[in-house]
Amino acid sequence: MTVSQPIPSQAPGSVHNLAGHLADVWPPQIGAGCVIEVGLSGGLDSVVLLHVLAGLRPRFGFLLRAVHVHHGLNAAADEWAAFCVNLCRSLDVPLRLEHVHIEAAGLGMEAAARRERYAAFARGGANVLALAHHQDDQVETFMLAALRGGGLRALSAMPMWRPLDAHTQIWRPLLAHTRAQLADYAQANALAYVEDSSNADTALLRNWLRQQALPAWRQRLPQLDRHLISSVALLQEEQALLNEVVAADWAEIHQGGDFDLASWRQLSTLRRRQQLLRFARLHSLGTPRYAAVADFEQVLEKIQTASAEWRLPHGRALAYRNRLFAFQDDWQQDCAWLKPGRPLSGRLNNILTNNGFTLSTHSFGLSEEVLAQFGTVRPATTDEVINLTVGRKSVRKILQECGVLPFVRPYWPIVTDGENRCVAIANVWVNVHYGVAGGKLPVCEKINRFILEPK
């Protein structure tokens, strides 16, 4: 590991008052008691950001923490973590160390590391995640998007604010400042930082852009950065306008609570595609190729009554009965009755309430006597049947009649007695021989989104 003292900038002393600049534009949403967690790599940028915010704590009353993500990809990773521990101790800032395991799985190592890093950030639960991206990063991000054929969203580069998840907002307070200005601040405050040796590898496109392409372009066009930052600002305004239109369309097609394909088909082709992109992003299904979005849009336009499936990087979308549903690849992990080698057997009252089910009072539900007996919760088989008032019916048929999505039916939980007879279908039906008026219906809330017409 190389620990560097800050290098002098080309304009010494230009931004020693970085903290004053940030204080002058302090966001009103960050008040006393707000928890800010800084993404701390140990490099120049994040060290400067942490130091600036540590100095502003008394003035604005926020709570400051830091998080360091240990990727384990560099031989000096342990030393970087130790550096961050010592830095945070010197600034009296609590540090969260996150060790992550990187598996490329077709993404490429850089993209996979970024995915794990942001997942680690989300586990912090802070109100604000502060990241140290600066103006030079913004220029590089714009150029990379252009070189890779990105659209408006990619060319808009990095916004100052965006949601990380439902609880945390990402904040980039240094976007108005150059790396040279951060180096000036570090020089003035005698801040040490670590150097990542991989930053010298020009085989990586971003490093080549930073070290070779941009310096040559800047020599030819001295105002290049100013013009590109101006372009980014205009693109972000246009992206904001597009977001307003997309949000309005989204609200229109979700009036009943679900993604209504009949309403979706009333939109223009381009607006329909924007809704599919939003659907994939909001449900964490990954970012699809635009050609794949266009193909599925055409499928949904032509096949208006049949079901259709769209495979995405991290899951699938399923069109069924004029609605669109999302399934992440790992959606089954929270379903206790699907875990291999762990059958849910025992006193029904206990195994249901201890594994994500509630026992809801229903017009016709299981009796207390049945719930006190031994039984099992498991997926329904293809030949499973349940007793009705007259005769019997296939469990799969009842699931179909109730509007349970076809993809989910093989995994749907049923409750059986000690003789392995189906006494209830979770969320929808109770065997007539085991039910009483005002009894209990086993309900699993997490799968309610997969059923259209519960009985």
Side-chain angles (χ1 to χ4, degrees):
M1 176 184 72
T2 301
V3 178
S4 300
Q5 294 298 325
I7 58 173
S9 71
Q10 295 179 349
S14 58
V15 186
H16 291 165
N17 192 28
L18 186 61
H21 282 265
L22 184 53
D24 289 342
V25 293
W26 190 258
Q29 62 265 43
I30 301 182
C34 179
V35 178
I36 300 177
E37 188 167 69
V38 174
L40 181 65
S41 68
L44 168 68
D45 312 336
S46 62
V47 167
V48 167
L49 177 58
L50 184 67
H51 188 269
V52 169
L53 291 177
L56 292 174
R57 272 182 300 187
R59 178 171 176 180
F60 294 101
F62 57 86
L63 303 177
L64 183 62
R65 306 191 315 226
V67 53
H68 176 78
V69 180
H70 188 302
H71 298 90
L73 298 177
N74 191 292
D78 289 340
E79 297 176 64
W80 295 347
F83 174 87
C84 292
V85 168
N86 292 330
L87 174 64
C88 289
R89 185 179 296 122
S90 70
L91 295 174
D92 192 25
V93 173
L95 175 66
R96 179 168 62 95
L97 278 176
E98 282 272 357
H99 288 75
V100 298
H101 176 65
I102 309 300
E103 292 183 359
L107 286 177
M109 194 58 69
E110 187 177 359
R114 183 184 186 278
R115 179 188 61 191
E116 294 302 323
R117 183 164 60 253
Y118 276 79
F121 288 158
R123 289 192 287 270
N127 303 116
V128 175
L129 171 68
L131 300 180
H133 298 113
H134 47 70
Q135 183 174 295
D136 298 51
D137 293 324
Q138 191 78 305
V139 169
E140 292 169 10
T141 301
F142 172 87
M143 292 301 299
L144 285 170
L147 293 172
R148 291 167 174 164
L152 176 58
R153 182 176 295 276
L155 292 170
S156 297
M158 296 178 289
M160 182 169 289
W161 288 93
R162 79 165 177 84
L164 173 64
D165 55 27
H167 311 288
T168 304
Q169 289 286 321
I170 292 176
W171 178 39
R172 298 182 174 94
L174 301 180
L175 284 179
H177 301 278
T178 66
R179 189 181 191 279
Q181 290 171 332
L182 303 189
D184 284 338
Y185 179 92
Q187 182 77 11
N189 290 277
L191 299 179
Y193 54 91
V194 301
E195 291 276 12
D196 185 347
S197 59
S198 67
N199 288 336
D201 182 8
T202 54
L204 299 175
L205 183 57
R206 182 180 286 274
N207 291 342
W208 171 83
L209 189 67
R210 177 183 301 151
Q211 297 177 32
Q212 297 183 18
L214 281 172
W217 291 335
R218 285 168 178 144
Q219 186 175 7
R220 179 67 178 82
L221 301 167
Q223 303 302 316
L224 175 71
D225 287 59
R226 183 167 64 86
H227 291 160
L228 292 184
I229 291 299
S230 177
S231 294
V232 168
L234 292 173
L235 289 168
Q236 287 183 347
E237 284 193 8
E238 292 173 3
Q239 180 66 57
L241 176 60
L242 175 60
N243 289 345
E244 289 183 13
V245 174
V246 171
D249 288 346
W250 183 268
E252 181 67 24
I253 65 178
H254 281 78
Q255 288 189 37
D258 295 318
F259 192 113
D260 179 59
L261 287 170
S263 299
W264 173 83
R265 292 189 184 96
Q266 302 305 310
L267 301 174
S268 68
T269 298
L270 293 179
R271 288 165 75 173
R272 289 199 297 260
R273 292 176 183 176
Q274 286 295 322
Q275 291 306 304
L276 294 179
L277 282 168
R278 181 183 174 100
F279 178 88
R281 283 195 301 270
L282 288 184
H283 291 287
S284 301
L285 300 177
T287 302
R289 294 179 296 106
Y290 190 73
V293 177
D295 288 345
F296 192 59
E297 183 268 330
Q298 287 298 300
V299 168
L300 294 179
E301 172 63 20
K302 293 174 182 177
I303 306 176
Q304 300 194 11
T305 56
S307 60
E309 184 178 322
W310 182 25
R311 287 294 309 175
L312 288 147
H314 305 311
R316 69 186 72 190
L318 181 69
Y320 181 66
R321 294 194 183 182
N322 251 341
R323 304 183 198 182
L324 192 62
F325 298 88
F327 296 85
Q328 294 181 9
D329 282 336
D330 61 352
W331 74 270
Q332 301 174 38
Q333 289 186 359
D334 291 332
C335 300
W337 65 93
L338 296 176
K339 293 183 178 178
R342 188 193 168 204
L344 296 184
S345 298
R347 187 171 177 265
L348 287 177
N349 214 336
N350 293 334
I351 63 172
L352 286 166
T353 55
N354 292 337
N355 289 280
F357 292 82
T358 57
L359 296 174
S360 301
T361 302
H362 197 262
S363 57
F364 189 76
L366 294 176
S367 68
E368 293 294 340
E369 180 183 359
V370 171
L371 289 169
Q373 295 175 5
F374 178 89
T376 301
V377 180
R378 59 171 176 80
T381 62
T382 54
D383 58 353
E384 208 85 52
V385 295
I386 191 169
N387 292 306
L388 308 179
T389 304
V390 178
R392 300 185 299 173
K393 184 178 284 190
S394 162
V395 168
R396 293 287 179 87
K397 182 65 175 177
I398 290 178
L399 292 175
Q400 178 186 7
E401 291 174 352
C402 291
V404 173
L405 276 63
F407 177 71
V408 183
R409 292 172 199 163
Y411 308 100
W412 202 263
I414 63 168
V415 181
T416 67
D417 64 9
E419 301 297 323
N420 203 29
R421 293 171 295 209
C422 179
V423 301
I425 306 171
N427 298 44
V428 296
W429 212 283
V430 169
N431 188 318
V432 68
H433 294 167
Y434 295 82
V436 295
K440 303 295 185 180
L441 176 68
V443 174
C444 179
E445 291 293 341
K446 69 182 66 174
I447 60 173
N448 253 343
R449 61 194 175 106
F450 301 138
I451 183 168
L452 303 184
E453 302 165 12
K455 296 297 183 182

